[in-house]
Amino acid sequence: MSEIKVELKERAYTIFVEKGILGKLDNVLEKKLKGANVLVVTDDCVKKIYAEKLVAELAKISSQVAVFDFPAGEESKKIGTLEMIYRAVVRNGLDRKSVIVALGGGVVGDIAGFAAATYMRGISYIQIPTTLLAMVDSSVGGKTAIDLTEGKNLVGAFWQPMAVIADPTTLSSLPHREINCGLAEVVKYGVIMDNIFFEFLEKNSGKIKSLDMHILTYIIAKCCELKAQVVSGDEREESGLRAILNLGHTFGHAIETVTEFGKFHHGEAVSIGMEMAAKFAVLQGMMKEDDAKRITALLREFSLPVENPGIEPEKLVSAMKKDKKNSGGKIKLILPSKIGSVSIVDSDEKHLLDFLRKND
Ligand code: NAD
Ligand code: GLY
């Protein structure tokens, strides 16, 4: 089993990655859940496949377990669903010693985490990610949020989980499209901070695509290690270090917002966003074209979209202007300088528009 520590003093916790770990939770959660009232929050799709087994496991180690589910999909990451979660929490008698367990992808993790962050001014929660994206990214680091019509993740809190438990065998039921979405975030780690990992992905793309469990488990643990390093160094995205995890996300979130969260899944929008960031970096003279080509090739290898889907540059830039990272009227972008390294750049709206018009 891989155990990765997220070093955050009194908020430190461990990420456990192991095939089949969901069948032996008492090993890792017994002390944390002893006597606790637990509410599993999940979506209707994940509930059908994994909730029964999880409840049976949790019942062995906690005092009471209930399940609340909501319709799967980004459209559910909104205030109405949050209110339903609070009501389920109250209905099931959760108090300050109780624990919310987020079982599912990033949507479940983000909204259940936000419910935990705010109910009774904050109760504990555990992340049990079941998508690749959630295993390598969203379950780690304590960012919780809901979307507004005006933009992604505009309301949220930093609230660290008490543990993260990733069982790669759950990926066998995940649709290919969702695996690919997770791979967009995996590629991101290579580009932002680890060229050797990027090369590993290039060399092993065949095995990754065929869901070789050994390789996938390695990749999940590696990405968690890289993210844990970043989060430990800049928990609340203050020094700029954590912002590097947003490579492709300023473009990506804007694409999701303009297309009303319906056309692209998050990982796909991030893939297009990384491609745009790489091309923009080349245009600015920051990165060699060959590096940008390798990024495009790897994203394509994982069947990810890389083209602007015809969004008008003005609309995209207007959505990008709402990004939380911006300040002083400039759009902050994470741009690669080579594979394994990025810089944070204040971009001028006009340069960005010119670039997007050329690539339209
Ligand atoms: P998701 O949660 O919508 O899951 C994708 C789909 O897969 C859903 O339909 C879900 O029901 C289904 N699913 C989940 N696990 C399954 C399994 N094992 N088998 C079969 N189906 C399964 O999407 P996602 O891609 O996991 O997460 C995207 C969200 O994560 C976005 O809202 C994004 O903003 C957020 N995010 C947050 C962070 C963070 O740091 N908090 C980081 C990255 C992304
Ligand atoms: N996914 C970006 C972050 O966790 O900071």
Side-chain angles (χ1 to χ4, degrees):
M1 171 160 60
S2 296
E3 290 185 26
I4 301 126
K5 195 93 184 197
V6 185
E7 302 287 359
L8 287 168
K9 300 200 172 106
E10 67 282 1
R11 290 181 303 289
Y13 56 97
T14 305
I15 306 162
F16 300 92
V17 184
E18 193 188 14
K19 286 181 278 174
I21 193 171
L22 286 188
K24 39 191 174 182
L25 284 181
D26 46 340
N27 282 353
V28 285
L29 290 185
E30 187 150 28
K31 277 197 199 131
K32 292 184 176 10
L33 293 186
K34 201 159 190 234
N37 183 356
V38 175
L39 181 69
V40 176
V41 175
T42 188
D43 69 30
D44 53 359
C45 165
V46 176
K47 181 185 174 190
K48 277 186 211 132
I49 320 175
Y50 297 109
E52 199 182 331
K53 186 178 164 198
L54 179 67
V55 167
E57 276 296 305
L58 294 175
K60 291 184 205 160
I61 46 178
S62 59
S63 76
Q64 186 187 320
V65 193
V67 179
F68 173 79
D69 69 292
F70 58 80
E74 186 72 33
E75 305 75 32
S76 284
K77 212 175 107 176
K78 61 183 180 197
I79 195 109
T81 313
L82 185 65
E83 187 181 355
M84 290 196 292
I85 297 173
Y86 291 137
R87 288 179 184 274
V89 164
V90 175
R91 220 172 28 248
N92 287 287
L94 272 74
D95 59 21
R96 284 198 163 142
K97 298 254 180 281
S98 302
V99 178
I100 289 179
V101 170
L103 170 72
V107 167
V108 170
D110 278 13
I111 196 166
F114 188 52
T118 45
Y119 178 66
M120 289 191 171
R121 302 201 178 89
I123 65 169
S124 299
Y125 76 115
I126 291 170
Q127 290 272 16
I128 304 192
T130 60
T131 64
L132 181 59
L133 183 140
M135 289 181 196
V136 300
D137 191 357
S138 62
S139 65
V140 176
K143 276 191 180 176
T144 70
I146 56 168
D147 302 330
L148 299 182
T149 324
E150 287 78 3
K152 282 269 298 177
N153 299 335
L154 285 183
V155 180
F158 287 97
W159 192 245
Q160 300 296 340
M162 89 205 299
V164 179
I165 293 164
D167 185 342
T169 57
T170 58
L171 299 178
S172 53
S173 56
L174 194 65
H176 273 288
R177 182 173 179 188
E178 299 300 342
I179 295 280
N180 296 341
C181 286
L183 289 171
E185 302 282 4
V186 171
V187 170
K188 177 190 80 178
Y189 287 105
V191 178
I192 61 176
M193 59 194 296
D194 195 331
N195 65 328
I196 294 169
F197 183 53
F198 190 93
E199 273 173 36
F200 175 88
L201 297 174
E202 289 178 317
K203 285 194 187 121
N204 290 282
S205 63
K207 285 189 185 158
I208 295 169
K209 287 195 291 184
S210 65
L211 299 190
D212 179 307
M213 272 299 147
H214 183 69
I215 298 264
L216 278 181
T217 305
Y218 167 77
I219 285 176
I220 294 162
K222 179 75 190 171
C223 291
C224 287
E225 241 175 74
L226 292 170
K227 182 153 183 183
Q229 254 177 52
V230 172
V231 170
S232 301
D234 181 19
E235 180 184 8
R236 297 176 69 91
E237 207 165 305
E238 285 162 340
S239 73
L241 174 61
R242 185 165 180 164
I244 67 172
L245 296 171
N246 284 311
L247 171 69
H249 284 59
T250 312
F251 290 109
H253 285 166
I255 291 168
E256 284 184 89
T257 304
V258 174
T259 54
E260 297 178 345
F261 303 112
K263 189 172 166 66
F264 295 104
H265 293 189
H266 177 71
E268 294 166 341
V270 167
S271 171
I272 300 171
M274 276 194 285
E275 169 76 9
M276 286 178 169
K279 283 197 170 141
F280 191 51
V282 172
L283 192 78
Q284 305 276 303
M286 280 177 59
M287 183 170 70
K288 290 191 191 125
E289 195 165 8
D290 280 356
D291 280 348
K293 282 186 177 156
R294 280 176 68 196
I295 297 171
T296 315
L298 193 54
L299 293 171
R300 280 191 198 279
E301 175 70 11
F302 294 139
S303 306
L304 284 158
V306 289
E307 308 278 347
N308 178 353
I311 300 172
E312 285 166 38
E314 292 72 15
K315 275 195 185 160
L316 200 62
V317 170
S318 154
M320 289 170 80
K321 280 158 76 178
K322 298 202 179 79
D323 192 272
K324 295 186 288 303
K325 290 185 297 305
N326 296 339
S327 59
K330 296 273 186 186
I331 297 174
K332 227 176 245 323
L333 286 177
I334 319 302
L335 298 180
S337 43
K338 61 181 179 187
I339 290 180
S341 174
V342 284
S343 303
I344 303 175
V345 175
D346 277 329
S347 298
D348 186 81
E349 186 177 338
K350 186 181 165 310
H351 282 153
L352 210 48
L353 274 170
D354 287 348
F355 158 72
L356 289 167
R357 284 181 187 128
K358 270 188 212 133
N359 280 275
D360 206 7

